[in-house]
Amino acid sequence: MATSAALPHRATDIEDALRACASGDKLALKRIYDAESARMLGVAQRLLKRRALAEEAVQDAFILIWRHAARFDPERGAGLTWIYAILRNRSLSILRDEKRTETSDRPVAEETASEEDDPETVMSKLSGAKALHACLETLPPQRRGIVLLAFVQGLTHGEIAGRLRMPIGTVKSWIRRSLIALKECLG
């Protein structure tokens, strides 16, 4: 537990590191990560209830901290407050996204998919859901595969990005766009 004397020093270090990040100093971001990532993970996990989502929130928060460090204004608040506001906002966005993509407990297919199945094999198992199958066919193969990994095999955005060696932002935007296309197709 930080003493009251240590907190101002920690806060000053964070603010100095944020200014250095704004100047492009990658080591400054590492200093923030080393100082705060464990606490940030704990905060995110309390909000999100799942470690994988909490890790995703912390990773996304650090990307946002790096990209927007120049926006930090010590006149408007402390550096720690700014960092944790970014984490909280990112966590809440992930929560909203998770709620939007929740699915029914009823199986979509007669036969369940295993983790070893590739996306095209999974799609062939969706024989009982002809309308969904037809709409999935309209998606480009790679985007269709990502959707199937997420919703049939239950992989997180981070797990899909790691498996396919793709940036997580690309995975998220492809899933979002694909869901919009499927919703329009299914009417």
Side-chain angles (χ1 to χ4, degrees):
M1 181 173 206
T3 65
S4 59
L7 190 56
H9 179 67
R10 183 173 129 216
T12 303
D13 289 346
I14 296 297
E15 290 177 9
D16 290 344
L18 284 170
R19 282 189 282 278
C21 283
S23 300
D25 183 353
K26 291 179 182 175
L27 290 176
L29 185 66
K30 183 179 181 338
R31 287 197 314 267
I32 296 171
Y33 181 86
D34 292 343
E36 295 301 317
S37 63
R39 271 185 291 277
M40 290 172 75
L41 184 59
V43 169
Q45 198 159 350
R46 278 192 300 276
L47 287 167
L48 297 167
K49 309 290 188 241
R50 288 182 24 211
R51 184 166 179 95
L53 292 177
E55 289 172 352
E56 181 179 332
V58 171
Q59 178 184 356
D60 291 353
F62 273 99
I63 291 168
L64 292 169
I65 290 165
W66 175 253
R67 287 183 183 160
H68 302 297
R71 294 183 186 172
F72 169 67
D73 181 2
E75 298 292 319
R76 296 180 65 199
L80 284 170
T81 304
W82 188 77
I83 287 170
Y84 282 91
I86 289 173
L87 176 65
R88 180 180 179 279
N89 290 339
R90 188 63 205 122
S91 296
L92 293 175
S93 291
I94 289 171
L95 260 180
R96 277 191 302 274
D97 289 346
E98 284 294 306
K99 282 188 170 72
R100 238 183 269 137
T101 58
E102 282 179 358
T103 58
S104 165
D105 289 338
R106 293 178 310 171
V108 173
E110 298 163 8
E111 201 179 330
T112 58
S114 72
E115 282 196 27
E116 292 78 39
D117 289 341
D118 64 89
E120 294 306 315
T121 303
V122 170
M123 191 157 154
S124 70
K125 291 181 180 181
L126 293 174
S127 59
K130 291 184 176 149
L132 178 58
H133 189 277
C135 289
L136 282 167
E137 282 288 336
T138 66
L139 296 175
Q142 192 171 18
R143 282 182 38 194
R144 179 175 54 237
I146 287 174
V147 168
L148 293 170
L149 287 172
F151 295 101
V152 177
Q153 294 183 355
L155 299 181
T156 66
H157 295 136
E159 291 169 334
I160 294 168
R163 182 181 280 191
L164 300 178
R165 291 181 172 77
M166 294 177 69
I168 193 164
T170 301
V171 169
K172 288 178 182 181
S173 67
W174 282 13
I175 289 173
R176 186 178 327 108
R177 287 187 207 137
S178 297
L179 290 177
I180 290 168
L182 288 173
K183 184 178 177 182
E184 289 173 1
C185 178
L186 291 169

